[in-house]
Amino acid sequence: MSMDVIIYHNPECGTSRNALAMIRNAGIEPHIVEYLKTPPARPLLIALIARAGLTPRQLLRDKGAPFEALGLADAGLADDALIDAMMAHPILINRPLVVSPLGVKLCRPSEAVLDLLPTAQRGAFAKEDGEQVIDASGTRVG
């Protein structure tokens, strides 16, 4: 199985940093797309949403600006309008979105990335906040 993994990453986001660290803890160096600098093209974003089994609203980051300023809480907005907003303001794309040979997933919480990795964790892992996710034998905790 190919080990190609792509993470749509925001280095300022702790959840995204934790997911990236778990990918690396599995011995995989992913292709990192800093989507705020290089947002996906509209057709790719639509394809990622579909492959993840999400709706555009489910991928929409609803915290802070510009979500509120753009009135995106309006449940009557069409999917195309939400995608337009994400294209104009990539910060509205929730993260991290991970693509692997096993599928596409919005990895919130970050340990959701474990379901997408084709190789096991190589050792213990704790999130930045200290929460133990993987024990010393490479087994998921909890």
Side-chain angles (χ1 to χ4, degrees):
M1 180 180 289
S2 172
M3 301 265 232
D4 290 340
V5 174
I6 302 166
I7 181 170
Y8 289 86
H9 178 61
N10 178 350
E12 300 298 317
C13 172
T15 302
S16 195
R17 290 191 305 270
N18 284 322
L20 176 57
M22 282 184 263
I23 294 167
R24 288 177 169 158
N25 196 46
I28 299 168
E29 184 54 40
H31 177 74
I32 299 168
V33 177
E34 288 192 32
Y35 70 92
L36 295 178
K37 294 178 182 176
T38 311
R42 184 184 183 90
L44 176 57
L45 181 61
I46 292 168
L48 290 169
I49 291 168
R51 289 181 60 202
L54 300 172
T55 65
R57 183 159 299 280
Q58 290 170 318
L59 187 63
L60 187 66
R61 184 169 185 267
D62 61 2
K63 294 184 178 160
F67 179 84
E68 293 161 3
L70 295 173
L72 297 175
D74 178 355
L77 289 173
D79 287 350
D80 280 342
L82 300 177
I83 291 169
D84 288 344
M86 287 186 261
M87 295 306 304
H89 306 278
I91 192 67
L92 290 168
I93 300 171
N94 215 338
R95 74 271 180 173
L97 194 61
V98 178
V99 180
S100 89
L102 301 178
V104 178
K105 190 175 226 176
L106 174 60
C107 294
R108 297 190 76 79
S110 58
E111 55 269 26
V113 75
L114 297 172
D115 299 332
L116 290 178
L117 299 179
T119 59
Q121 295 288 288
R122 293 185 167 185
F125 180 82
K127 292 189 207 180
E128 291 179 358
D129 66 3
E131 179 186 350
Q132 193 73 32
V133 178
I134 306 295
D135 67 19
S137 67
T139 304
R140 193 171 182 168
V141 175

